[in-house]
Amino acid sequence: MQQNNSVTEFILLGLTQDLMKKKMIFVIFFILYMGTMIGNLLIIVTIKFSQTLGSPMYFFLFYLSLADSCISTSTAPRLIVDSLSAKRIITYNECMTQVFALHFFGCMEIYVLILMAADRYVAICKPLRYPTIMRQQVCTILIVLAWIGSFIHSIAQIILALRLPFCGPNLIDHYCCDLQPLLELACMDTYMINLLLVSNSGVICSSSFVILMISYIVILHSLRNHSAEGRKKALSTCTSHIIVVVLFFVPCIFIYTRPPTTFPMDKMVAVFYTIGTPFLNPLIYTLRNAEVKNAMRKLWHIKITTESKR
């Protein structure tokens, strides 16, 4: 990567400077990260090999779990290691790579959540046309477009980051590299850069959240025409989706849709959508979804039975 500055590395201050709290952070976030990876990989494997989870909703859930695993991996391991490290140094190239990964997989999660909402809308509001509209070929094309859109967004973010000149302080008051904390260190007027950041990440977060909320309001309103059993099943599925949407988008909107100012709570808010939400998603989608739980039981029962016969 070409550098337009004299800074070759940054120092991440992390969540705290207190030694005892650092040890607590190591334990807590190690457990959260392991839970995130185990939970999401369990969903990925179950959907991949289960014959009962072949609907578009689970096709999109597969990629949501993949995005969750990747976005958590882009931040959590460094946070865990740095919590016990005396020197929390990240090179310029590593920092730019983390910015790219964070926005790539974060944007991918946004697009997948929109696709899941669209899938539920068609399934509930247009059930007779559902097999035609949400056929496998269409779902694959939509996911490919989501990957392309995420790549374009993250490229735009990395271009903004590479334009920032750093010629003095290199202490990042954060646990990871992102544009907002980097703007604080840039030795230039960052008004236009922040405006572009808000018009990119901020608009994507805000508009996607509004679209998702409107779509779920329409879905819930249409449930009045369904049977009691149909309403119960659809309401359970939509409730899970709405919980995930709120948990992910509210922190993102707080971070990316405001002037270039930092608040003490920024780091904890960022923890919520980069580590907390990926950890909670598997719990939400398994504990509230009987089909996923049954598929997991059947799949792992078959695996255990097969292994015991050998």
Side-chain angles (χ1 to χ4, degrees):
M1 296 180 186
Q2 294 295 321
Q3 295 176 222
N4 58 341
N5 56 78
S6 58
V7 174
T8 59
E9 62 185 26
F10 298 100
I11 299 174
L12 296 169
L13 295 181
L15 293 176
T16 181
Q17 301 299 311
D18 185 87
L19 186 60
M20 183 58 66
K21 289 181 180 179
K22 285 181 182 179
K23 294 178 181 178
M24 292 174 60
I25 286 171
F26 174 83
V27 174
I28 292 170
F29 286 96
F30 180 79
I31 294 172
L32 287 176
Y33 181 61
M34 288 295 102
T36 298
M37 296 308 295
I38 292 170
N40 282 294
L41 289 176
L42 188 60
I43 289 177
I44 289 171
V45 172
T46 301
I47 294 173
K48 181 69 175 178
F49 295 101
S50 175
Q51 297 180 350
T52 61
L53 301 179
S55 68
M57 183 176 74
Y58 298 113
F59 176 78
F60 295 134
L61 179 58
F62 175 93
Y63 286 98
L64 181 68
S65 294
L66 180 62
D68 277 335
S69 300
C70 293
I71 193 173
S72 184
T73 299
S74 69
T75 57
R78 177 169 287 278
L79 172 60
I80 293 167
V81 172
D82 286 350
S83 64
L84 296 182
S85 176
K87 294 183 177 181
R88 290 165 287 185
I89 295 173
I90 183 170
T91 66
Y92 181 89
N93 286 353
E94 289 172 344
C95 185
M96 295 301 108
T97 301
Q98 190 173 56
V99 171
F100 179 87
L102 185 63
H103 284 271
F104 180 77
F105 295 112
C107 192
M108 183 63 187
E109 177 144 350
I110 289 174
Y111 289 145
V112 172
L113 287 171
I114 291 174
L115 293 177
M116 293 177 76
D119 172 72
R120 289 302 84 202
Y121 171 79
V122 177
I124 294 171
C125 300
K126 301 181 184 296
L128 297 179
R129 298 178 61 190
Y130 181 76
T132 305
I133 296 174
M134 300 303 295
R135 59 187 185 275
Q136 184 62 41
Q137 184 180 7
V138 173
C139 293
T140 302
I141 292 172
L142 291 173
I143 282 293
V144 171
L145 291 175
W147 284 112
I148 294 172
S150 301
F151 181 77
I152 293 171
H153 164 74
S154 50
I155 283 293
Q157 298 300 97
I158 204 68
I159 289 173
L160 293 178
L162 291 172
R163 287 172 59 86
L164 295 173
F166 303 103
C167 48
N170 66 340
L171 297 176
I172 299 178
D173 189 17
H174 214 287
Y175 64 89
C176 68
C177 281
D178 198 3
L179 274 173
Q180 287 285 15
L182 287 175
L183 288 174
E184 296 288 315
L185 302 181
C187 48
M188 65 174 287
D189 183 3
T190 59
Y191 176 79
M192 285 304 298
I193 298 289
N194 186 75
L195 192 63
L196 292 171
L197 173 63
V198 171
S199 64
N200 188 346
S201 297
V203 169
I204 288 176
C205 290
S206 301
S207 59
S208 298
F209 182 69
V210 171
I211 291 169
L212 286 166
M213 287 296 98
I214 291 174
S215 66
Y216 282 117
I217 290 171
V218 173
I219 291 171
L220 294 174
H221 184 261
S222 68
L223 289 178
R224 71 187 194 281
N225 299 322
H226 290 65
S227 63
E229 185 178 350
R231 280 199 303 270
K232 183 179 179 181
K233 184 178 180 181
L235 188 60
S236 176
T237 302
C238 290
T239 302
S240 300
H241 292 196
I242 292 170
I243 292 171
V244 170
V245 166
V246 172
L247 291 177
F248 183 79
F249 279 95
V250 171
C252 286
I253 292 171
F254 176 79
I255 294 293
Y256 294 112
T257 58
R258 67 171 200 240
T261 55
T262 57
F263 298 105
M265 67 180 72
D266 283 357
K267 289 185 281 188
M268 289 310 301
V269 172
V271 163
F272 208 80
Y273 70 84
T274 58
I275 300 173
T277 304
F279 171 76
L280 293 173
N281 281 357
L283 298 176
I284 294 169
Y285 280 109
T286 53
L287 293 178
R288 294 185 60 86
N289 193 310
E291 286 182 287
V292 175
K293 287 190 288 187
N294 292 333
M296 284 182 177
R297 291 192 193 101
K298 290 178 182 178
L299 180 64
W300 296 107
H301 175 72
I302 293 171
K303 293 280 186 183
I304 294 170
T305 303
T306 303
E307 290 295 328
S308 64
K309 289 181 179 179
R310 290 181 180 179

